[in-house]
């Protein structure tokens, strides 16, 4: 009905606008209110609610929100909801563009079909073209069975794009529900995986299949829950108790990263002076080389305001990998952890550190390596498990890295582990050491037993002779200035000078430019 002054064209236009607004509101809220109640009843947010929590308020722009599938058969032609079970688009995080896609579990359980996959392909292509991070909020039941091989082909397109974007833009997977079968491969191809306890699950074959094939009875949580992947498989980089804290940490992580591999991370204004002394380190790190301490206390003392985000905290905890700020600039830290296995390197620690080093190198993030390592973990399991090739991964990663690199030897650095932890001989730009450093092939006790075995055995008092030889070896080859005298350590610094020395070093190295050899790509150890 026309109102006063309104024409037929005005009325038609208003009708169309109202139809569009009503349709978009229905799509956003969901056509089935009961499905939304079920989602909330599981303690889970909807896809739109998650995106709103991840991105800056009011910044999200959705694309293909009205997309519908074209599948027929098995009743699919009668069920054609808009969005097809995935929300795609872009927004900002702390003012910087970020692309996102989020499975909508209320529609087909978030399962992937042809149209669903094409929406994801499009947003992935846009992220790569725009040079902006991509975040996936995963809550889907895998491939849509009713669409058969076209659904599987959709996954192939996602995997290909994951690989093409690797090392070009940051890719972050947030697991907020089930992720089974081929769907688990995309998160595994991304840079970081976040999971939520009691909500996130990832596995190739579910508990029912496992039981039917192997006879093993296992719950979904035990088979592929957040804590399992955080502690055992190493697939999960960050684990949280709820969606809100999880998405808050995703935002924080993004704030530390560059948008792409052609940029550096944003530089922040910091009120923590670059020349602040770190005298507390003398108390935090015991002088005795065999006494334990938590290297994370060292990180808190060195980094701006003591803040950092640790990667894979609960897996391979004998090495700490973290991102933090030094004088307002993002740095990556690799540190031996004496509080776990005395800080030795082993299979998992080598893999963990190697991947982190390669990530930092890909995205122009300078590296700090804090060394306090007694060597590689000995044992039949380690040797049979391939500790040589896994240790070689870390060696390869450091040798390949062209970003600014500074090594700080806190206490001991023995054997091959010393070389692997970014020593001067494998290309670190600057090697610093504290006054109590011990750099040697092995500890003085072991060295004396090997070198002076016969003399000790023939001595009237073997134990006293052994003590003397240990002292002789330590005084001769393990004194704090031995490596510095030979140019393998650039300077011996006081622990209190550590932060200032690192800030000064990275300021000096900020314009570092290294040209790698011309090649298609290297072949890292498997």
């Amino acid at each position: 009905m026309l109102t006063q002054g309104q024409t037929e064209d005005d009325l038609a236009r208003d009708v169309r606008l109202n139809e569009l607004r009503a349709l978009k509101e229905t799509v956003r809220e969901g056509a089935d209110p009961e499905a939304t109640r079920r989602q909330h009843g599981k303690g889970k947010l909807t896809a739109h609610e998650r995106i709103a929590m991840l991105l800056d308020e009011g910044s999200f722009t959705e694309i293909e929100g009205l997309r519908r599938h074209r599948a027929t058969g098995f009743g699919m032609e009668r069920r054609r909801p808009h969005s097809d079970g995935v929300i795609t688009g872009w927004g900002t995080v702390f003012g910087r563009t970020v692309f996102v896609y989020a499975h909508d579990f209320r529609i087909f359980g978030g399962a992937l079909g042809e149209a669903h996959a094409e929406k994801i392909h499009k947003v992935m292509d846009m992220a790569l073209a725009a040079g902006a991070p991509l975040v996936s909020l995963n809550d889907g039941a895998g491939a849509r069975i009713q669409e058969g091989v076209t659904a599987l082909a959709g996954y192939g397109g996602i995997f290909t794009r994951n690989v093409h974007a690797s090392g070009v833009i940051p890719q972050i997977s947030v697991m907020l529900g089930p992720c089974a079968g081929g769907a688990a491969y995309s998160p595994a191809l991304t840079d970081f995986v976040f999971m939520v306890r009691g909500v996130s699950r990832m596995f190739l074959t579910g508990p029912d299949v496992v039981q039917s094939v192997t006879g093993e009875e296992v719950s979904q949580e035990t088979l592929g829950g957040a804590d399992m992947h955080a502690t055992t498989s190493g697939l999960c980089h960050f684990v949280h108790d709820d969606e809100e804290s999880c998405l808050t940490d995703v935002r924080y992580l993004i704030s530390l990263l560059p948008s792409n591999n052609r940029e550096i991370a944003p530089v922040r204004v910091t009120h923590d002076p670059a020349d602040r002394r770190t005298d507390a380190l003398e108390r935090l790190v015991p002088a005795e080389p065999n006494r334990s301490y938590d290297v994370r206390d060292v990180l808190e003392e060195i980094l701006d305001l003591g803040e950092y985000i640790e990667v894979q905290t609960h897996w391979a905890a004998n090495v700490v990998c973290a991102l933090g700020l030094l004088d307002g600039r993002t740095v990556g830290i690799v540190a031996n952890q004496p509080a776990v296995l005395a800080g030795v390197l082993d299979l998992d620690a080598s893999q963990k550190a190697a991947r982190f080093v390669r990530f930092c190198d890909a995205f122009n993030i300078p590296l700090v390596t804090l060394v306090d390592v007694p060597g590689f973990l000995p044992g039949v399991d380690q040797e049979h498990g391939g500790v040589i090739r896994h240790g070689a991964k870390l060696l390869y990663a450091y040798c390949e890295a062209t970003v600014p690199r500074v090594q700080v030897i806190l206490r001991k650095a023995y054997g091959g582990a010393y070389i692997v932890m970014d020593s001067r001989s494998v290309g670190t730009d600057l090697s610093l050491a504290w006054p109590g450093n011990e750099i040697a092939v092995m500890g003085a006790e072991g060295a004396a037993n090997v070198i002076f075995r016969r003399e000790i055995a023939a001595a009237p008092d073997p134990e006293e002779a052994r003590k003397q030889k240990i002292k002789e070896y330590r005084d001769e080859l393990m004194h704090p200035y031995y490596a510095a005298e030979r140019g393998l350590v650039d300077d011996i610094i006081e622990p209190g000078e550590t932060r200032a020395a690192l800030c000064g070093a990275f300021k000096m190295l900020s314009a570092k430019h290294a040209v790698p050899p011309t090649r298609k790509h290297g072949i890292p150890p498997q």
Side-chain angles (χ1 to χ4, degrees):
M1 180 177 178
L2 293 173
T3 59
Q4 186 174 2
Q6 188 179 40
T7 66
E8 292 285 349
D9 282 347
D10 293 334
L11 178 60
R13 188 180 302 111
D14 288 345
V15 169
R16 286 194 295 270
L17 287 175
N18 289 334
E19 285 177 348
L20 175 62
R21 290 164 183 163
L23 176 58
K24 287 193 171 183
E25 183 64 22
T26 300
V27 172
R28 177 180 174 81
E29 295 299 324
D32 181 5
E34 184 57 35
T36 302
R37 283 192 288 270
R38 287 195 298 270
Q39 184 81 347
H40 288 161
K42 297 174 183 176
K44 297 163 64 176
L45 301 174
T46 65
H48 279 289
E49 289 168 342
R50 288 165 174 165
I51 290 172
M53 189 173 288
L54 170 69
L55 301 177
D56 297 338
E57 184 176 357
S59 69
F60 181 56
T61 298
E62 186 174 356
I63 55 174
E64 296 199 12
L66 302 180
R67 185 75 179 264
R68 303 167 82 180
H69 73 76
R70 296 172 293 184
T72 58
F74 307 101
M76 291 293 289
E77 63 276 6
R78 297 189 297 274
R79 298 180 61 200
R80 300 180 64 234
H82 292 96
S83 83
D84 202 44
V86 64
I87 311 302
T88 56
W90 73 88
T92 60
V93 171
F94 297 114
R96 297 164 60 214
T97 299
V98 172
F99 287 80
V100 61
Y101 68 85
H103 298 133
D104 190 343
F105 197 82
R106 300 173 301 173
I107 298 175
F108 299 124
L112 180 138
E114 181 183 25
H116 181 121
E118 288 176 352
K119 289 182 64 175
I120 295 175
H121 296 168
K122 181 171 183 176
V123 80
M124 294 179 79
D125 290 341
M126 292 177 71
L128 192 58
L134 174 70
V135 179
S136 62
L137 306 179
N138 298 274
D139 187 8
R144 196 174 296 172
I145 299 172
Q146 298 94 323
E147 296 194 34
V149 71
T150 56
L152 297 177
Y155 274 126
I158 293 173
F159 304 157
T160 300
R161 287 167 173 82
N162 284 139
V163 174
H164 289 169
S166 181
V168 181
I169 58 172
Q171 299 180 84
I172 299 172
S173 296
V174 187
M175 315 312 297
L176 299 169
C179 187
Y185 282 120
S186 178
L189 290 168
T190 60
D191 299 311
F192 298 106
V193 175
F194 286 75
M195 298 185 77
V196 178
R197 292 185 177 94
V199 172
S200 310
R201 296 182 182 92
M202 296 177 68
F203 36 68
L204 291 181
T205 53
D208 293 341
V209 176
V210 169
Q211 184 173 5
S212 66
V213 173
T214 70
E216 298 173 279
E217 291 188 19
V218 63
S219 68
Q220 289 194 5
E221 193 68 23
T222 302
L223 184 63
D227 284 319
M228 190 286 291
H229 284 302
T231 60
T232 305
S233 76
L235 181 60
C236 172
H237 298 83
F238 305 97
V239 61
H240 292 270
D241 291 324
D242 56 75
E243 294 190 25
E244 183 176 4
S245 63
C246 178
L247 293 172
T248 297
D249 260 12
V250 174
R251 286 174 57 85
Y252 179 59
L253 175 61
I254 291 171
S255 76
L256 294 173
L257 303 178
S259 292
N260 56 65
N261 65 347
R262 301 183 302 278
E263 300 180 5
I264 62 171
V267 179
R268 298 188 188 182
V269 175
T270 178
H271 300 291
D272 195 345
D275 60 355
R276 170 174 57 80
R277 286 192 61 85
T278 51
D279 294 312
L281 293 176
E282 296 183 17
R283 171 180 51 82
L284 294 172
V285 179
E288 297 84 349
N290 295 326
R291 280 186 58 191
S292 177
Y293 65 94
D294 192 335
V295 77
R296 289 174 291 193
D297 294 334
V298 177
L299 269 63
E300 289 181 11
E301 186 64 21
I302 292 173
L303 296 171
D304 290 359
L305 304 176
E307 297 177 356
Y308 63 91
I309 184 168
E310 186 175 351
V311 179
Q312 293 176 302
T313 304
H314 307 288
W315 183 65
N318 42 320
V319 68
V320 169
C321 298
L323 292 164
L325 298 173
L326 264 178
D327 198 19
R329 299 177 185 275
T330 300
V331 294
I333 304 98
V334 178
N336 303 116
Q337 174 57 292
V340 180
L341 295 176
V344 297
L345 288 176
D346 62 2
L347 295 164
D348 291 343
S350 298
Q351 292 185 73
K352 171 180 171 178
R355 189 177 189 276
F356 182 75
V357 167
R358 299 196 78 190
F359 172 83
C360 290
D361 186 49
F363 289 103
N364 310 310
I365 298 172
L367 284 161
V368 179
T369 304
L370 303 179
V371 184
D372 191 350
V373 61
F376 279 91
L377 182 65
V380 174
D381 289 345
Q382 289 291 308
E383 297 292 347
H384 288 185
V387 69
I388 296 172
R389 61 186 173 88
H390 290 300
K393 291 178 181 178
L394 181 53
L395 183 59
Y396 189 102
Y398 271 124
C399 290
E400 183 185 46
T402 60
V403 293
R405 294 148 53 189
V406 179
Q407 177 198 50
V408 183
I409 300 170
L410 308 184
R411 293 194 307 187
K412 57 191 176 296
Y414 296 160
Y418 154 67
I419 301 172
V420 168
M421 289 295 290
D422 203 21
S423 64
R424 186 65 183 273
S425 59
V426 300
T428 194
D429 295 296
L430 201 63
S431 177
L432 307 173
W434 287 0
N437 76 83
E438 292 184 356
I439 306 173
V441 175
M442 62 177 67
E445 292 81 359
N449 288 339
V450 173
I451 298 173
F452 306 111
R453 181 177 66 254
R454 292 179 181 175
E455 294 178 47
I456 292 172
D461 186 345
E463 188 56 34
E464 183 60 29
R466 182 174 177 274
K467 289 179 181 179
Q468 291 177 1
K469 294 302 181 182
I470 289 172
K471 184 178 185 303
E472 180 182 336
Y473 183 85
R474 180 175 281 117
D475 292 345
E476 195 68 29
L477 294 177
M478 294 181 64
H479 63 80
Y481 308 105
Y482 186 86
E485 290 170 357
R486 285 151 182 79
L488 296 174
V489 166
D490 292 289
D491 196 14
I492 308 295
I493 63 171
E494 299 177 16
E497 299 172 336
T498 305
R499 173 178 165 83
L502 287 171
C503 290
F506 286 122
K507 184 177 181 180
M508 176 271 293
L509 291 165
S510 61
K512 177 184 176 182
H513 179 66
V515 180
T518 301
R519 59 184 175 184
K520 186 174 182 181
H521 55 72
I523 306 171
Q526 63 179 8

